[in-house]
Amino acid sequence: MKPISRVGFIGLGAMGGPMAGHLQAKGLLAVVGNRTPEKAVALAETLGVAAAKAPSDFSGCDAVVLCVSMDADVLQCCRDLAGVLAPGALVIDHSTVARETALTAAALLAEAGIAFLDAPVSGGVEGARNGKLSVMVGGDAEVLASAQELLSAYALRVTLMGPTGAGQATKAVNQVLVAGIAQAVCEGLAFGEALGLKPESLVPTLAAGAAGNWFLDKRGATMMADQFTPGFKSALLLKDLRIVQAMADALGRHYSVVEQSLVDYAKLVDAGYGEEDTSALIRLKRAN
Ligand code: NAP
């Protein structure tokens, strides 16, 4: 693999924006792109890099990093990049998508001699801002070795989980835990409200004991104050839960946390709360 010194970044949302900033701080970022181009122009100006107007603007990159929304977005970006990147280049996908999407992306890029790593992340927007994400990688060890310096810009931990798709499989497991924790915390705090307990003493008291966790720590006080700015959009968790369910179905398994969370987040999205943080689940728990 050739050394990576010129990186492109596509998908400048809640996660991608700060991650691109860390790459710029390391002197690696050359060009940024986004579906809504104004976002790319604004960030490019702030970071002093180029804003892509077309896929060909990534042609000189050694590596292009993706952090876009859905499976179709990842595949579209990979098709575009397959037509412009030089053989020997690398595409790293940090989006959460199906394992099959990772396999399809890797295959279509391989036809053009371009390497691919599925590398979904966990750690939330706080992890992206602080550069402390856990990166779960599927792909080739030698390819990952060539990307370690790049990933260290925003990763606390990088783990090779297995061949292509193993990163997304790990992320699917991660999302079962994320959904279950959201269920427990939102339900518990709604119960606390119903009992008349004060948020300012309830949240830190719970957080200091065995019930403490990342989601309670980062979202407990805000959800009790009715603030649901993402964070992690409910519509994106619904997308992830559908991926998890398809994988569970393929194994003939049923998981109650996943099934309940699918019903709840579909309800939230249908009610118009899809752009709100996943902690908006407390809305349903209050109404129970
Ligand atoms: P987000 O805030 O909605 O950002 C997504 C960004 O990708 C937007 O700026 C969007 O452009 C851009 N985009 C989407 N499709 C594109 C395409 N085809 N070409 C170019 N740009 C495109 O979402 P996010 O929270 O950053 O999440 C991004 C991915 O990471 C998702 O797969 C999510 O599931 C995953 N993730 C999120 C978190 C979290 O805590 N937020 C944590 C781990 C993983 P527009 O400006 O046009 O919308």
Side-chain angles (χ1 to χ4, degrees):
M1 297 296 301
K2 67 178 188 186
I4 295 169
S5 61
R6 202 180 146 79
V7 179
F9 202 109
I10 302 178
L12 306 171
M15 298 295 288
M19 291 161 84
H22 290 298
L23 286 173
Q24 190 269 350
K26 261 197 159 219
L28 292 173
L29 190 68
V31 51
V32 291
N34 194 68
R35 180 174 54 195
T36 305
E38 291 75 20
K39 223 189 249 182
V41 169
L43 189 68
E45 213 172 280
T46 308
L47 298 179
V49 299
K53 291 182 198 67
S56 57
D57 291 327
F58 293 96
S59 61
C61 292
D62 307 312
V64 177
V65 181
L66 310 178
C67 194
V68 295
S69 312
M70 306 285 189
D71 295 63
D73 300 311
V74 170
L75 293 176
Q76 185 56 54
C77 290
C78 289
R79 274 186 215 105
D80 290 345
L81 291 169
V84 298
L85 291 179
L90 167 64
V91 174
I92 301 173
D93 179 29
H94 291 312
S95 325
T96 305
V97 293
R99 190 166 44 177
E100 291 68 29
T101 300
L103 293 166
T104 305
L108 74 87
L109 288 164
E111 278 177 31
I114 299 162
F116 176 79
L117 295 171
D118 56 298
V121 295
S122 180
V125 292
E126 288 81 357
R129 288 181 196 135
N130 302 337
K132 292 195 171 160
L133 294 167
S134 179
V135 188
M136 33 205 101
V137 184
D140 180 81
E142 200 184 322
V143 173
L144 176 57
S146 76
Q148 284 286 2
E149 176 69 7
L150 183 168
L151 294 171
S152 73
Y154 42 74
L156 179 65
R157 181 188 168 97
V158 178
T159 314
L160 182 61
M161 299 302 300
T164 302
Q168 294 298 349
T170 309
K171 179 72 186 189
V173 175
N174 188 80
Q175 296 312 77
V176 177
L177 276 69
V178 161
I181 291 165
Q183 285 286 345
V185 173
C186 294
E187 194 161 297
L189 295 186
F191 183 40
E193 285 176 346
L195 293 170
L197 295 167
K198 290 194 178 73
E200 57 278 18
S201 44
L202 180 62
V203 172
T205 301
L206 297 174
N213 63 76
W214 186 96
F215 186 68
L216 176 65
D217 197 35
K218 303 284 193 270
R219 305 284 179 260
T222 48
M223 77 172 86
M224 291 186 87
D226 271 327
Q227 291 163 15
F228 303 113
T229 306
F232 181 35
K233 293 173 186 167
S234 293
L236 290 177
L237 180 56
L238 180 60
K239 173 248 317 167
D240 297 356
L241 288 165
R242 286 179 173 144
I243 292 169
V244 172
Q245 190 189 34
M247 293 172 88
D249 284 351
L251 294 171
R253 302 292 175 96
H254 297 282
Y255 298 115
S256 58
V257 162
V258 175
E259 284 168 14
Q260 184 61 49
S261 301
L262 269 165
V263 170
D264 287 347
Y265 280 98
K267 214 183 272 181
L268 273 180
V269 169
D270 285 350
Y273 300 122
E275 294 296 298
E276 290 192 351
D277 186 71
T278 54
S279 53
L281 178 63
I282 197 170
R283 291 180 181 281
L284 301 187
K285 302 292 181 184
R286 283 170 177 155
N288 278 349

